[in-house]
Amino acid sequence: MHHILPKNKQLTKQNILAATNGGLAIFSHYITDFEQPKKTFKAIFRKDEHPSANVFQGQSGEYLYKDFAEEKPMNAIDFVMKLQKDCFPEALQRINKDLKLGFEKDNETIEYGGNFDYWKQFEGEEMKSDINETLAAYSISSVKSFTTRKGNKIIATASNPIFAFKLAEGYNKMYRPLEQNRRYKHQYIGKRPLDYQNIYGIAQLPATSHTILIVEGLKDCIIANANLNQHQIYAVGIDNVSTHIKPEMLQFLRSKCRFLVLCLDTDEIGLKMSSLKAQQYGLRNFILPSLLTQNGGKDISDWFKLKLDEQLLLNALGEAISCPEPTPKQQLVLDELLTRLNATEHQVAQLSTQPIVFSPPLISLGNLPIIRRGTINIIQGKYGSHKSRLAELFCSYLLTNKTDCLHYYLHFEKTDEAITVVYIDTERNLKEELPAAIQSIKEKGCYGIHETPKDFRFTSIKQIERHKRLGAVKSFIEQVREQTAHTMFVLLDVVTDCVANFNDPKESMKLFDYLGNLCDNYDATFLLVIHQNPGSEKARGHTGTEAANKASTVMQIGFEQEGSDLLALKFLKLRAAKRPSTIHLVYDETIRGLALAHEEMLQQLTSERPQVAEGGEVAEELGRLLCPSLSQKELLQQLRQRFECSDNTLKNRLEEIAEKQLKITNKQGVFCKLSIKAASGKPTVYELQVIE
């Protein structure tokens, strides 16, 4: 077989898969019985009397091996690792060799040699040993040349020496102290281990010592140890001032010494960060004496390079050690958090000993609570699916205090208490579209267009810069909260426009943390309108994912069929109760709003709907039937009541749903995938598994 190599000829997983059609050629090579994708063959890793494994193409384009008795499929690289008992690099090399792909191994090389003359300048006048001994102890080598992964060869010269700091087995930091271009002063050769520690010099610490300094940079670590070990003072080096030190590392360092002290550079950023880190970690902060900066130096290496008085340095360090260690800011924060958690525990403990009286929902349907007080709720749909009109209908209903407009409200019911409705728009223009929407809400709430209900607040953030929108939303909501004593019902249309980037997890979490706080502490309830991704039923971006996770109710509205006027309002998630059946709606031009569909339209839909078990329809039924599993016999019996087709057709649909990992919404509104568990001599079981 001829394989097309990527332009980049490095031996990597991505290149291997690209050259083997997503791994298809790998499966063809190593599986004797493999003929074509989706055709079953006997399982590879167990005794299999009946063919119950296949290879199929996943959503990412990679081909995957699937044993129907196992839960997870595996890609071609993982398959070879398991088949040949190879580690990851061995599997890549084996595939490259067996399939004659022609990829090259890593180009990175180091040619050792040269001298250590550069380091002599840092030997202090009181140093009792040669600095070369320290360099050897810390696995520092002089380098003649090294070759980067891209094949660039860097050669050392007398005016630009190179040294290799061995950070871990097969992982070196190349240090060029006299390189003028800062970009090339520090480079790395090799692969960084998963367990790599970002603090240098840990392995060389003695069992106990008087003082350990945390210095900035690997060079400072070497120079401090070379000159100060004779005084029972040792040093470890962080890569830069921004390096985070884990709590367990601080605990380990404290166990090695009497005094753990920060000693960072004395430039502007070093002084600022040393003060912050000292407060954060609760460490003494040793600022090098001003004599250093007066002589043009900035770090502990410069102190010895400039041949400054070593005793002056030791005296200053002694003064720093004599000061009490500060209470870590981190600990103060943890103490405050613990106090709050204990208060929450006490509050919940008290409430749990009393009868729980649930507050009435703001919106209900029959006996089912649809929008409960203090919750986040979603309406999602494609463009043009009338999701904003549905949201506006709820606003109208909560505002009205009359019975003349009940025909607008689609048989929903509402609480009798007064509600302050807050409507924040993000899309409409301010001259026509938004005023028209406000008029529509008022009219359907039985208000005249010249009236302004006192409990109706509305604005738009369309004109606000995107990165300032969440702050603007906060300010407006908090102002309304101060001006009303009623429960707030807040509509954000659309919610993805309230953050700078709806695909940024941090932005999304920040938004929903804020909304959750308002729900719990400010008697607010939220209805969020959000677009669906094109060609998908998933709400847009990470904001959509997080919204579905946090929401108590998720409603979806959309057209039943392309070209149809019939709308389906589905309840994908209802945390408080069993999900109600789909409500069919139409847009009624006479009322300029949504209305319940006529019986004739529903009968026509039923008669026209194919009964051949389309994959999407079967997946929807699985969400209703599997709680979370059924045997094949039980499931087919249930599905035959809905679809007029053979058992074989239904089995094929179920296999397709499992192979394609179609998203299925269970009764709790959680996204799941279908797992088929088949074992020789046992009945096949179909089970919903929550997607992590």
Side-chain angles (χ1 to χ4, degrees):
M1 180 182 291
H2 177 67
H3 301 286
I4 301 175
L5 281 179
K7 292 181 180 179
N8 176 355
K9 294 186 178 181
Q10 294 175 27
L11 183 58
T12 65
K13 174 183 175 181
Q14 291 75 15
N15 283 345
I16 289 258
L17 293 176
T20 58
N21 190 15
L24 181 61
I26 298 173
F27 289 122
S28 298
H29 182 85
Y30 291 103
I31 301 177
T32 307
D33 297 337
F34 176 70
E35 296 180 8
Q36 63 185 39
K38 294 189 178 181
K39 186 170 182 179
T40 56
F41 48 81
K42 290 184 179 180
I44 304 300
F45 302 111
R46 62 181 175 86
K47 187 176 180 181
D48 189 8
E49 299 297 334
H50 305 285
S52 57
N54 73 2
V55 170
F56 69 96
Q57 191 172 27
Q59 292 180 340
S60 67
E62 290 184 21
Y63 282 88
L64 305 171
Y65 169 82
K66 173 64 179 177
D67 181 343
F68 295 122
E70 302 289 336
E71 293 186 2
K72 282 189 175 182
M74 66 177 71
N75 65 34
I77 310 296
D78 292 338
F79 176 85
V80 173
M81 288 173 64
K82 185 172 182 178
L83 181 69
Q84 303 293 346
K85 296 181 173 58
D86 285 341
C87 65
F88 180 72
E90 291 171 342
L92 295 186
Q93 292 170 18
R94 183 186 298 276
I95 295 167
N96 186 41
K97 179 181 177 182
D98 291 352
L99 274 70
K100 298 179 174 59
L101 299 179
F103 286 114
E104 301 171 356
K105 292 184 180 180
D106 205 335
N107 289 320
E108 295 180 327
T109 58
I110 301 175
E111 182 184 3
Y112 296 102
N115 59 62
F116 294 95
D117 291 348
Y118 165 79
W119 298 93
K120 293 291 184 182
Q121 62 186 315
F122 299 105
E123 290 182 339
E125 295 179 353
E126 305 297 326
M127 184 186 291
K128 293 183 178 180
S129 60
D130 191 288
I131 197 169
N132 287 358
E133 295 178 15
T134 305
L135 295 173
Y138 284 80
S139 301
I140 297 172
S141 305
S142 183
V143 172
K144 288 183 178 180
S145 68
F146 68 93
T147 305
T148 67
R149 183 168 295 179
K150 293 182 179 180
N152 299 322
K153 187 172 184 178
I154 313 299
I155 301 174
T157 64
S159 61
N160 197 355
I162 305 174
F163 303 96
F165 288 72
K166 185 179 179 181
L167 303 181
E169 194 63 42
Y171 184 54
N172 289 270
K173 182 174 184 176
M174 311 308 294
Y175 177 48
R176 303 168 70 190
L178 303 180
E179 173 60 45
Q180 297 301 307
N181 189 333
R182 293 181 62 85
R183 179 180 177 186
Y184 300 114
K185 196 166 187 173
H186 305 280
Q187 292 175 270
Y188 293 86
I189 295 293
K191 185 176 181 181
R192 179 173 175 168
L194 293 175
D195 59 350
Y196 172 71
Q197 297 284 357
N198 61 356
I199 296 186
Y200 183 69
I202 295 292
Q204 289 77 14
L205 291 173
T208 59
S209 62
H210 183 271
T211 301
I212 294 178
L213 300 178
I214 300 176
V215 298
E216 181 183 341
L218 276 57
K219 181 184 74 172
D220 283 1
C221 176
I222 296 301
I223 304 307
N225 281 299
N227 287 279
L228 298 177
N229 283 177
Q230 59 188 337
H231 302 292
Q232 282 294 298
I233 299 171
Y234 290 79
V236 293
I238 56 176
D239 201 42
N240 56 66
V241 291
S242 300
T243 300
H244 174 69
I245 307 175
K246 296 180 179 179
E248 55 268 29
M249 178 55 68
L250 286 171
Q251 185 177 359
F252 173 78
L253 291 173
R254 289 183 190 278
S255 71
K256 291 279 188 177
C257 62
R258 287 182 60 194
F259 303 104
L260 182 61
V261 182
L262 271 178
C263 180
L264 305 186
D265 293 358
T266 58
D267 55 7
E268 182 179 356
I269 185 65
L271 292 172
K272 178 181 177 181
M273 291 302 294
S274 63
S275 176
L276 290 174
K277 285 186 177 295
Q279 294 178 41
Q280 180 183 3
Y281 300 133
L283 295 174
R284 293 176 175 86
N285 186 18
F286 175 40
I287 299 175
L288 294 164
S290 59
L291 181 63
L292 176 65
T293 53
Q294 292 168 10
N295 283 273
K298 71 177 183 67
D299 55 35
I300 198 166
S301 296
D302 289 339
W303 187 276
F304 293 102
K305 179 181 177 181
L306 293 168
K307 310 304 179 188
L308 300 179
D309 186 354
E310 184 175 307
Q311 191 58 50
L312 174 63
L313 178 71
L314 294 173
N315 291 342
L317 177 58
E319 290 179 14
I321 289 174
S322 67
C323 297
E325 196 171 62
T327 302
K329 185 176 181 181
Q330 190 176 31
Q331 187 60 49
L332 294 175
V333 172
L334 291 175
D335 289 345
E336 179 190 353
L337 293 175
L338 184 59
T339 300
R340 290 165 61 183
L341 290 175
N342 288 336
T344 299
E345 180 187 30
H346 180 69
Q347 178 187 2
V348 173
Q350 281 190 320
L351 292 173
S352 66
T353 62
Q354 306 165 12
I356 308 299
V357 180
F358 289 98
S359 56
L362 302 187
I363 298 290
S364 57
L365 185 65
N367 294 323
L368 299 177
I370 302 300
I371 298 179
R372 297 188 68 95
R373 182 195 310 271
T375 60
I376 296 171
N377 307 273
I378 300 174
I379 297 175
Q380 68 177 62
K382 297 179 180 179
Y383 292 102
S385 59
H386 299 283
K387 51 188 178 293
S388 291
R389 283 195 173 89
L390 178 62
E392 291 165 10
L393 180 146
F394 290 129
C395 291
S396 298
Y397 197 9
L398 291 171
L399 283 171
T400 191
N401 54 14
K402 301 178 183 178
T403 58
D404 300 345
C405 298
L406 292 179
H407 57 286
Y408 289 125
Y409 305 138
L410 310 177
H411 293 170
F412 285 103
E413 299 170 10
K414 74 175 183 95
T415 179
D416 293 331
E417 65 183 299
I419 303 293
T420 296
V421 173
V422 183
Y423 175 28
I424 301 177
D425 180 74
T426 68
E427 292 188 327
R428 294 170 173 80
N429 70 55
L430 304 183
K431 291 186 177 180
E432 297 173 353
E433 293 174 337
L434 184 55
I438 299 303
Q439 276 191 359
S440 177
I441 290 173
K442 290 193 292 185
E443 287 176 352
K444 291 178 177 59
C446 284
Y447 291 92
I449 63 172
H450 300 294
E451 294 182 84
T452 301
K454 66 176 182 178
D455 289 322
F456 186 25
R457 298 292 303 275
F458 45 85
T459 191
S460 170
I461 58 171
K462 183 181 179 183
Q463 73 279 16
I464 304 293
E465 296 93 330
R466 188 169 286 272
H467 68 280
K468 296 180 181 178
R469 287 184 176 180
L470 180 56
V473 169
K474 288 181 178 180
S475 297
F476 188 73
I477 292 176
E478 288 168 9
Q479 180 195 60
V480 176
R481 178 71 282 168
E482 291 175 359
Q483 296 172 351
T484 180
H486 300 153
T487 293
M488 289 196 304
F489 177 80
V490 183
L491 169 60
L492 299 179
D493 186 6
V494 294
V495 69
T496 47
D497 286 335
C498 295
V499 293
N501 180 358
F502 57 73
N503 280 318
D504 185 344
K506 290 183 179 178
E507 289 272 340
S508 301
M509 295 298 288
K510 187 177 178 181
L511 170 66
F512 286 100
D513 285 348
Y514 175 70
L515 299 186
N517 177 58
L518 290 179
C519 289
D520 287 338
N521 300 312
Y522 292 92
D523 195 12
T525 301
F526 286 88
L527 179 60
L528 314 178
V529 174
I530 189 166
H531 297 303
Q532 288 180 180
N533 288 324
S536 166
E537 293 198 349
K538 182 184 177 300
R540 289 186 73 186
H542 194 278
T543 300
T545 301
E546 195 61 29
N549 292 337
K550 293 289 192 291
S552 294
T553 298
V554 178
M555 292 172 271
Q556 180 194 55
I557 186 169
F559 290 101
E560 271 284 6
Q561 298 173 2
E562 189 174 346
S564 169
D565 292 329
L566 190 64
L567 293 158
L569 172 58
K570 300 178 181 179
F571 297 86
L572 302 183
K573 177 181 179 181
L574 194 65
R575 186 175 289 165
K578 179 182 177 182
R579 290 184 291 159
S581 302
T582 299
I583 300 174
H584 287 97
L585 310 170
V586 292
Y587 175 72
D588 189 334
E589 191 64 48
T590 59
I591 63 172
R592 290 180 297 165
L594 299 174
L596 294 170
H598 299 298
E599 187 64 31
E600 305 84 65
M601 294 186 72
L602 298 180
Q603 291 177 354
Q604 182 181 3
L605 172 69
T606 304
S607 63
E608 292 177 353
R609 177 176 283 165
Q611 301 295 314
V612 293
E614 296 291 341
E617 293 183 335
V618 175
E620 186 175 338
E621 284 296 304
L622 293 178
R624 186 177 63 84
L625 296 174
L626 297 180
C627 301
S629 63
L630 281 175
S631 68
Q632 185 178 80
K633 180 179 179 181
E634 293 172 316
L635 181 59
L636 293 178
Q637 183 179 3
Q638 294 281 349
L639 290 174
R640 282 197 302 270
Q641 297 177 18
R642 168 67 175 81
F643 302 103
E644 297 177 4
C645 55
S646 68
D647 284 356
N648 285 336
T649 298
L650 289 171
K651 289 178 185 178
N652 289 336
R653 294 293 180 271
L654 293 168
E655 286 186 10
E656 290 174 8
I657 291 168
E659 289 175 359
K660 293 179 180 178
Q661 297 188 6
L662 294 182
K663 285 186 177 179
I664 301 168
T665 307
N666 67 12
K667 288 187 176 182
Q668 288 73 42
V670 177
F671 284 129
C672 302
K673 61 183 178 181
L674 179 64
S675 172
I676 304 176
K677 296 186 176 180
S680 179
K682 295 183 180 180
T684 299
V685 174
Y686 297 87
E687 182 178 81
L688 290 186
Q689 294 182 343
V690 174
I691 298 174
E692 299 296 336

